[in-house]
Amino acid sequence: MPIKIPDHLPAKEILAQENIFVMDESAAYRQDIRPLRIAILNLMPTKETTETQILRLLGNTPLQVDIVLLHPSSHVSKNTSEEHLRSFYSTFDEVKHRRFDGLIITGAPVETMEFEDVNYWEELKQIMDWSVTNVTSTMYICWASQAGLYHHFGIPKVPLEEKCFGVFAHKVNKPNVKLLRGFDELFYAPHSRHTEVRREDIKRVPELEILSESDEAGVYIVGTKDGKQIFVAGHSEYDPLSLKWEYDRDVAKGMDVPIPVNYFPNNDPSKTPPSTWRAHANLLFSNWLNYYVYQETPYDIDQIVDSYSI
Ligand SMILES: CC(=O)SCCNC(=O)CCNC(=O)[C@H](O)C(C)(C)COP(=O)(O)OP(=O)(O)OC[C@H]1O[C@@H](n2cnc3c(N)ncnc32)[C@H](O)[C@@H]1OP(=O)(O)O
Ligand SMILES: N[C@@H](CCO)C(=O)O
């Protein structure tokens, strides 16, 4: 079964070449199965790249998935054209009366700022509050995971002495948790952060559990015990060359940036890095979609009385 995305989204062609079946909005669906409604709040400046990365992972499913792309209306985007946003994106105001089976909130390059200085912070807080009542399960990625843990549970983000940058080994803390079904005991995922959330701060909150962490990169996946909120500190969605692109960008700017750990062959930035986390990324997204979205969401999501008033 396909995922359905906005007509003419550039990601479609790339995904089609990878044998991922995507349908335009206008295409007809099977009528007997209600498609899942998934919103992606895309906070990344590299919006088209992120669209492709996340749709690639959501496309690895036999479920029918309708995608709604959201951007914060309180931020004027420097790196994404207005035309792209107008053609393919909606705003929170346009969808807040609706319910969603799932919501993904992406990372953002704002982690060295105070949350309150991010110009879309008030809007993001509204969206995070709305998600508690209007979304079955929300996945927060990288900076969004820090924003979510801070807003919902008061957990601070803390600056790191050196950027956490590379592909790190992780362990499974809670093997019986459904999100981790099928995970290898040791698996790899990329991180690219100047800040972290500390395990001792998470441990203090009874609603939260650390599902996976890394000796070197720290906390990786945190979940609320009811599965409604999943916080992922890394970037499993990244392409094989995303870290290289960030590294080359910073070197070109003359920045003192570490070579990404466990990434380039022989630690040599002139060599092409292999992907070592693709299987993990596919499993993380398909477990979330299956267990936390599809199996938990009501058949008719629009019938629930809306307890959230804006
Ligand atoms: C911790 C994580 O979540 S990691 C995820 C973030 N990673 C990435 O974004 C990697 C890719 N991004 C990049 O390489 C760079 O941001 C670039 C090259 C695209 C742009 O860099 P520059 O133009 O030098 O940065 P600049 O400071 O002007 O702003 C970049 C972005 O920061 C964000 N930003 C900066 N200031 C603010 C602010 N006050 N409030 C909200 N967002 C802000 C915006 O997202 C902005 O891009 P956008 O307007 O297109 O959305
Ligand atoms: N992943 C980011 C970190 C900045 O928030 C970058 O290096 O662009």
Side-chain angles (χ1 to χ4, degrees):
M1 306 281 171
I3 52 170
K4 193 183 259 197
I5 61 177
D7 288 349
H8 314 299
L9 190 76
K12 186 179 176 190
E13 221 168 282
I14 302 168
L15 296 174
Q17 284 164 13
E18 296 175 21
N19 296 322
I20 296 171
F21 182 24
V22 286
M23 284 169 93
D24 285 337
E25 252 165 356
S26 44
Y29 257 127
R30 279 179 62 168
Q31 294 298 308
D32 53 335
I33 302 174
R34 177 176 78 74
L36 293 177
R37 193 187 288 160
I38 306 285
I40 302 171
L41 176 61
N42 192 347
L43 303 176
M44 293 286 277
T46 47
K47 284 201 172 25
E48 284 190 36
T49 303
T50 305
E51 289 156 16
T52 308
Q53 290 171 345
I54 292 180
L55 292 173
R56 175 181 289 129
L57 295 168
L58 291 175
N60 183 35
T61 171
L63 302 170
Q64 299 186 141
V65 180
D66 277 4
I67 300 294
V68 176
L69 296 171
L70 300 177
H71 75 101
S73 60
S74 43
H75 174 77
V76 178
S77 195
K78 238 173 80 172
N79 298 281
T80 307
S81 71
E82 248 193 79
E83 196 200 335
H84 186 85
L85 295 176
R86 215 181 19 254
S87 305
F88 305 122
Y89 279 71
S90 304
T91 62
F92 176 55
D93 269 348
E94 289 166 339
V95 303
K96 68 186 179 191
H97 60 285
R98 301 178 73 188
R99 292 181 170 278
F100 286 81
D101 302 294
L103 167 67
I104 295 171
I105 309 183
T106 70
V110 290
E111 50 165 336
T112 52
M113 300 166 74
E114 296 298 325
F115 291 113
E116 291 76 9
D117 292 338
V118 172
N119 59 20
Y120 50 78
W121 181 242
E122 289 304 316
E123 186 179 1
L124 180 60
K125 283 199 301 184
Q126 269 209 341
I127 296 172
M128 292 191 284
D129 287 341
W130 165 87
S131 75
V132 173
T133 50
N134 284 45
V135 179
T136 301
S137 183
T138 300
M139 186 194 285
Y140 295 79
I141 297 175
C142 199
W143 177 78
S145 74
Q146 301 176 336
L149 288 168
Y150 175 69
H151 177 61
H152 293 298
F153 302 103
I155 296 175
K157 69 177 158 64
V158 180
L160 292 167
E161 272 173 30
E162 187 177 66
K163 184 176 184 182
C164 174
F165 195 33
V167 182
F168 297 92
H170 296 78
K171 56 192 181 208
V172 169
N173 292 23
K174 306 260 172 187
N176 294 329
V177 167
K178 290 177 193 158
L179 189 69
L180 310 176
R181 177 177 181 265
F183 276 32
D184 288 318
E185 280 158 30
L186 200 67
F187 67 91
Y188 290 87
H191 289 258
S192 177
R193 289 179 277 113
H194 301 276
T195 53
E196 68 169 349
V197 169
R198 291 195 174 141
R199 75 189 306 279
E200 54 269 29
D201 291 329
I202 296 164
K203 288 271 179 199
R204 275 195 275 275
V205 181
E207 296 98 307
L208 295 175
E209 50 188 0
I210 300 174
L211 304 180
S212 168
E213 61 192 317
S214 156
D215 289 343
E216 294 164 287
V219 171
Y220 177 42
I221 307 176
V222 177
T224 52
K225 287 180 181 154
D226 62 6
K228 279 187 72 73
Q229 291 163 326
I230 303 295
F231 305 95
V232 183
H235 279 292
S236 73
E237 80 284 2
Y238 265 14
D239 294 319
L241 299 184
S242 298
L243 295 181
K244 174 178 162 49
W245 183 84
E246 292 180 359
Y247 174 75
D248 290 345
R249 175 202 65 197
D250 293 344
V251 168
K253 279 189 196 162
M255 285 167 63
D256 183 19
V257 62
I259 296 178
V261 171
N262 193 26
Y263 183 55
F264 294 112
N266 303 323
N267 221 20
D268 177 353
S270 69
K271 297 211 163 86
T272 303
S275 164
T276 51
W277 62 89
R278 201 177 276 150
H280 156 66
N282 276 290
L283 200 51
L284 173 62
F285 276 74
S286 54
N287 281 351
W288 175 71
L289 206 53
N290 178 14
Y291 289 116
Y292 294 71
V293 180
Y294 175 67
Q295 295 198 25
E296 292 297 327
T297 207
Y299 184 76
D300 189 349
I301 46 171
D302 293 319
Q303 284 307 306
I304 308 165
V305 179
D306 192 347
S307 54
Y308 184 73
S309 55
I310 294 169

